[in-house]
Amino acid sequence: MLLEHIGIINLWTYLAGLIVIILLPGPNSLYVLKTSASKGIKAGYVAASGVFIGDAILIFLSWLGVASLIKASPLLFTAVRFLGAFYLLYLGIKIIYVNFFSGKNPATASLNEQENVLTKALTLSLTNPKAIVFYISFFVQFIDFSYSHTGLSYLVLASILEVFSFLYLSTLIFGGAAMARFFKARQSLAKAGNGLVGLFFMGFAVRLAAISS
């Protein structure tokens, strides 16, 4: 079977599940979409890079067993969960504040704000306990642990994930840029859209805080 010689099993099932999971909306993809819509294609790819790096770190931690340790420790898992929820809430409130109360144009950002895009996207990825659970429960189903080099198996599966994620996020980035052109002359709609994004982030925060380990 394809790739079984390097400890990967049920590859086609993995690919099917991966596509479904990547297409599910979440804070990472929403942040990439918002960034590209408000700051342009280049900034969108900076945000996407933060997601890629975060995924790579979580996959590596999963391979080391750190992710399993976090999941097995209710206190540690809860700490990560609330950290992620607070950060999502902070982003949502900040988006709504800048959009409606600061008097700034949300479509324009300072150099400092541009530089923070990578950090924000990376923080979103690393403080998402659902991603930790995903890398524990999903990846192990497709790895033959009798294979002596499971690090290679993880690397191949992670590379496939990153390629699919790149294609999906690229679609969002160019879609966001197209949305920006559409909303450029429609400021009231742009404000409503930004406000909705802020509410989505706050909703993600509430949902994350409410889940159990």
Side-chain angles (χ1 to χ4, degrees), residues 13-24 138 164 168:
T13 304
Y14 171 75
L15 293 176
L18 194 64
I19 291 172
V20 172
I21 290 167
I22 288 176
L23 292 179
L24 287 174
F138 189 70
F164 275 65
Y168 174 62

Side-chain angles (χ1 to χ4, degrees), residues 23-55:
L23 292 179
L24 287 174
N28 290 349
S29 56
L30 184 60
Y31 182 71
V32 171
L33 178 62
K34 181 197 175 299
T35 300
S36 60
S38 60
K39 298 179 175 67
I41 291 175
K42 181 179 178 180
Y45 274 108
V46 172
S49 297
V51 175
F52 300 147
I53 294 171
D55 284 344

Side-chain angles (χ1 to χ4, degrees), residues 1-199:
M1 296 293 289
L2 192 62
L3 298 185
E4 283 193 358
H5 63 288
I6 57 172
I8 295 175
I9 57 178
N10 300 321
L11 178 63
W12 296 114
T13 304
Y14 171 75
L15 293 176
L18 194 64
I19 291 172
V20 172
I21 290 167
I22 288 176
L23 292 179
L24 287 174
N28 290 349
S29 56
L30 184 60
Y31 182 71
V32 171
L33 178 62
K34 181 197 175 299
T35 300
S36 60
S38 60
K39 298 179 175 67
I41 291 175
K42 181 179 178 180
Y45 274 108
V46 172
S49 297
V51 175
F52 300 147
I53 294 171
D55 284 344
I57 291 174
L58 289 178
I59 293 169
F60 181 66
L61 292 178
S62 176
W63 177 62
L64 290 178
V66 175
S68 297
L69 176 63
I70 292 175
K71 181 65 174 68
S73 171
L75 182 61
L76 190 54
F77 184 83
T78 298
V80 173
R81 180 164 59 88
F82 277 102
L83 178 62
F86 279 124
Y87 190 68
L88 285 169
L89 184 63
Y90 159 76
L91 284 182
I93 292 173
K94 184 176 181 181
I95 290 170
I96 291 177
Y97 171 75
V98 171
N99 193 60
F100 294 107
F101 303 108
S102 69
K104 297 179 181 179
N105 183 352
T108 60
S110 67
L111 179 61
N112 185 56
E113 287 173 321
Q114 291 278 10
E115 292 172 344
N116 285 335
V117 166
L118 178 64
T119 302
K120 288 179 179 178
L122 181 58
T123 304
L124 275 175
S125 293
L126 295 180
T127 57
N128 185 357
K130 293 179 70 176
I132 295 173
V133 174
F134 164 72
Y135 291 125
I136 296 171
S137 61
F138 189 70
F139 271 70
V140 296
Q141 299 178 55
F142 306 99
I143 293 177
D144 179 5
F145 285 94
S146 65
Y147 180 64
S148 56
H149 302 289
T150 55
L152 177 60
S153 308
Y154 267 94
L155 179 61
V156 172
L157 291 179
S159 299
I160 294 172
L161 180 146
E162 297 286 35
V163 169
F164 275 65
S165 182
F166 174 80
L167 294 174
Y168 174 62
L169 292 181
S170 292
T171 301
L172 292 183
I173 288 168
F174 285 96
M179 288 170 56
R181 290 192 294 270
F182 175 79
F183 286 119
K184 189 173 183 180
R186 301 169 177 84
Q187 289 301 311
S188 60
L189 284 177
K191 279 184 173 291
N194 279 324
L196 187 60
V197 169
L199 289 176

